[in-house]
Amino acid sequence: MEALSLSIPIISVTNSNTNYISLSASTNYASLSSLHHRSSSSSTRPFTLKKTVVRVQAESEDFELKQVRDMAAAKKRWEALLRDEKIKILTPKEAGYAVQLSNKPLLDVRPSNEHNKAWVKGSTWIPIFDVDSGLDVGTIPKKVTNFAMGGWWSGMPTLSFDNSFLPKVVEKFPKDAELIVACQKGLRSLAACELLYNAGYSNLFWVQGGFDAAEEEAFEGTVPLKFAGIGGISEFLGWTDQQRAVAAKEGWGYRLVFSARLIGLFLVADALFIGAQQIGRYLQEIRTH
């Protein structure tokens, strides 16, 4: 088996029945065959708000079903690439050794919202998917689906494929380079490895589990990397696994901050409810006079 040029063990993949990674049908980066953007223009416009809502809902459901199918197909492709060792596996610890001790190139393919929170010294950041800030007809259904499927809780924004990803990688790295590819949880980096392999890269190393699975000493740079992938209401309230782990070490002083936030959230919600009632009564009085 081909391995990195340093004395660390490389995990081999021999059992085709092994579950290499937990795949979620809610991700929006499963199908590399559908990475090209759809046209955001439309020649028809709904005449009423009701028609717009119905159409957006239907498109959201179609998008969700497509994600399920794409993820199933992607899982088969990725398992085959790992099983045949066309893409090699590294643990975060092994990848850290390779980067820190042997100066092997680390390609960080995370979106900007995660990279801005934490980064690895010496890594090259080229996102394969980045935050989609568009508000056109083509992106609204995706945003609605992402929000409804937990974006409000996790803080994960809607992502779209970056068409400049492959050209930027080709410009930066030769195709025979030993390239370590990583993301936050491991899915986007696996998608990137598939794309790079199809483009002719032959020495690809995938960081299994991503930065979420890395210990603080594994990589040099902004730490802890595990906190780069959290956000939304769950991060605000301290209800993520990463924050619970820190709370277990830090004790009540750390937990009190998030308890205060929870109490504050309830007070704000109560104030908004009372305010809405008062406005309702005021409007009712206006109508009766």
Side-chain angles (χ1 to χ4, degrees):
M1 175 180 178
E2 183 179 359
L4 285 171
S5 304
L6 69 165
S7 57
I8 59 174
I10 304 301
I11 299 175
S12 62
V13 182
T14 57
N15 186 354
S16 61
N17 295 322
T18 302
N19 293 323
Y20 303 106
I21 187 170
S22 175
L23 301 177
S24 169
S26 64
T27 55
N28 63 350
Y29 37 82
S31 175
L32 291 179
S33 63
S34 62
L35 293 179
H36 300 291
H37 291 293
R38 297 178 181 178
S39 174
S40 61
S41 62
S42 176
S43 59
T44 59
R45 293 181 179 273
F47 295 100
T48 65
L49 178 60
K50 183 177 180 180
K51 288 183 180 180
T52 302
V53 172
V54 170
R55 189 179 69 174
V56 170
Q57 182 178 2
E59 290 180 355
S60 297
E61 292 173 354
D62 290 342
F63 177 72
E64 182 177 346
L65 291 174
K66 184 178 183 301
Q67 289 299 307
V68 174
R69 292 193 297 267
D70 287 347
M71 181 55 72
K75 181 179 179 181
K76 292 181 180 179
R77 296 196 308 271
W78 295 341
E79 286 179 341
L81 289 170
L82 294 172
R83 182 177 61 248
D84 298 338
E85 298 182 359
K86 294 176 179 177
I87 297 172
K88 277 72 74 175
I89 300 176
L90 290 179
T91 66
K93 186 176 183 180
E94 292 166 346
Y97 286 154
V99 174
Q100 293 189 54
L101 302 181
S102 299
N103 295 319
K104 297 300 179 182
L106 174 64
L107 177 60
D108 181 354
V109 300
R110 296 176 300 164
S112 55
N113 64 301
E114 294 175 356
H115 178 263
N116 291 340
K117 287 185 177 181
W119 46 268
V120 177
K121 182 180 179 180
S123 63
T124 299
W125 176 59
I126 305 177
I128 182 172
F129 295 89
D130 211 348
V131 178
D132 191 342
S133 58
L135 291 174
D136 52 60
V137 176
T139 59
I140 289 177
K142 296 180 182 179
K143 291 181 180 291
V144 171
T145 300
N146 179 71
F147 184 83
M149 294 184 68
W152 63 275
W153 177 254
S154 66
M156 174 57 69
T158 303
L159 304 177
S160 61
F161 177 67
D162 189 340
N163 288 301
S164 64
F165 170 73
L166 189 55
K168 288 180 178 178
V169 175
V170 172
E171 180 182 357
K172 183 72 176 180
F173 301 104
K175 292 188 176 181
D176 60 349
E178 291 180 329
L179 193 56
I180 303 173
V181 186
C183 66
Q184 194 66 35
K185 298 180 183 295
L187 280 176
R188 283 162 292 185
S189 55
L190 194 50
C193 283
E194 180 188 17
L195 186 63
L196 292 171
Y197 175 80
N198 292 336
Y201 284 85
S202 57
N203 294 311
L204 296 170
F205 296 84
W206 169 60
V207 180
Q208 187 177 36
F211 294 133
D212 266 6
E215 299 299 328
E216 290 188 14
E217 64 273 11
F219 297 96
E220 184 181 357
T222 304
V223 292
L225 286 166
K226 294 181 180 181
F227 282 81
I230 63 176
I233 299 298
S234 60
E235 180 186 20
F236 179 78
L237 297 178
W239 286 355
T240 65
D241 293 337
Q242 294 88 335
Q243 290 167 306
R244 288 195 184 104
V246 174
K249 296 179 181 179
E250 298 294 334
W252 283 104
Y254 184 86
R255 297 175 185 176
L256 282 175
V257 175
F258 298 102
S259 297
R261 290 182 181 180
L262 180 60
I263 294 172
L265 189 63
F266 277 118
L267 291 175
V268 170
D270 190 49
L272 290 174
F273 177 73
I274 295 174
Q277 285 185 322
Q278 294 296 331
I279 293 174
R281 293 194 187 103
Y282 177 72
L283 293 176
Q284 185 65 29
E285 290 179 358
I286 292 176
R287 294 193 190 99
T288 56
H289 286 79

